[in-house]
Amino acid sequence: MIQIAPSMLAADFLNLQKDVDIVNSHADLFHLDIMDGVFVPNISYGFPVVEAIAGAAHKPLDVHLMIVNPEKYIDRFARIGVSMLSFHLNATDKPAQALLHIRETGMKAGLVINPDMPVETLFPYLQLCDHIILMSVFAGFGGQRFIEETYDRIRTLKAEIDRQGLTVEIEVDGGVSPANVE
Ligand code: ZN
């Protein structure tokens, strides 16, 4: 099943309710990009905004952490009511432990890789993941162009998920538009 998860980075932050309503009525998930200015050069928004969206959302919250030490914040996102929590594979020394911790809280656990990391680096962790986010632009800024090699990476990842007999959803993040969504 295909789901659409608009990034709230594109929202009008002076009129958040309007964009939350649009996602509630027309999309499947709220995609929340959290940037710390360390793991990526940019800073996005933090807990007050996530809590405000959580309070008005009728669709699940899909949080994508672009931060160092993501394991520090797992319980806090769980308390806010986040449904899906993902972090970058190279943002922590202990990805397996962090994935297990996320699942223990009842959230769905996900790993993310940038376009320059081989898809194969994910393979040892797939059984601990509910979803994988393949970046189709480099994480950290909105509005970039979709990288075409992503299609092959999706195929490779899907084949390995099937080979391992797993149910892991694949999320494609960045430059997705009506022109390429199909
Ligand atoms: Zn994202």
Side-chain angles (χ1 to χ4, degrees):
M1 184 183 47
I2 292 173
Q3 295 189 300
I4 305 291
S7 172
M8 296 311 283
L9 209 54
D12 175 358
F13 285 93
L14 280 180
N15 204 343
L16 205 46
Q17 181 76 54
K18 180 187 60 133
D19 289 321
V20 168
D21 289 343
I22 291 173
V23 176
N24 277 335
S25 329
H26 300 293
D28 303 293
L29 302 164
F30 286 87
H31 187 78
L32 305 183
D33 290 302
I34 310 295
M35 306 174 189
D36 64 356
V38 180
F39 184 74
V40 289
N42 212 357
I43 296 175
S44 59
Y45 51 81
F47 288 113
V49 172
V50 177
E51 283 163 3
I53 293 171
H58 302 145
K59 299 288 168 73
L61 266 50
D62 162 33
V63 170
H64 169 193
L65 300 178
M66 287 166 257
I67 65 174
V68 294
N69 304 320
E71 55 278 352
K72 273 171 68 179
Y73 302 98
I74 293 170
D75 291 321
R76 191 145 172 206
F77 282 105
R79 281 199 298 276
I80 294 173
V82 165
S83 300
M84 302 163 65
L85 187 65
S86 58
F87 59 89
H88 281 252
L89 178 56
N90 55 336
T92 172
D93 297 333
K94 294 176 175 150
Q97 265 171 264
L99 289 165
L100 285 167
H101 184 177
I102 293 171
R103 279 187 165 175
E104 274 163 22
T105 67
M107 294 186 288
K108 290 180 178 168
L111 278 179
V112 193
I113 57 169
N114 263 320
D116 59 353
M117 261 180 94
V119 178
E120 289 75 14
T121 56
L122 296 165
F123 291 0
Y125 304 102
L126 288 178
Q127 74 275 13
L128 301 174
C129 292
D130 299 292
H131 58 291
I132 295 290
I133 299 184
L134 286 183
M135 294 305 302
S136 41
V137 300
F138 281 88
F141 295 94
Q144 300 173 65
R145 252 194 89 211
F146 184 88
I147 296 171
E148 298 287 324
E149 287 74 20
T150 308
Y151 297 118
D152 284 335
R153 290 162 61 78
I154 297 169
R155 278 187 208 102
T156 305
L157 176 59
K158 176 75 173 109
E160 178 64 16
I161 290 168
D162 290 346
R163 197 190 65 78
Q164 293 191 28
L166 301 169
T167 310
V168 182
E169 296 201 275
I170 301 174
E171 191 168 346
V172 179
D173 188 346
V176 175
S177 73
N180 59 20
V181 70
E182 193 175 344

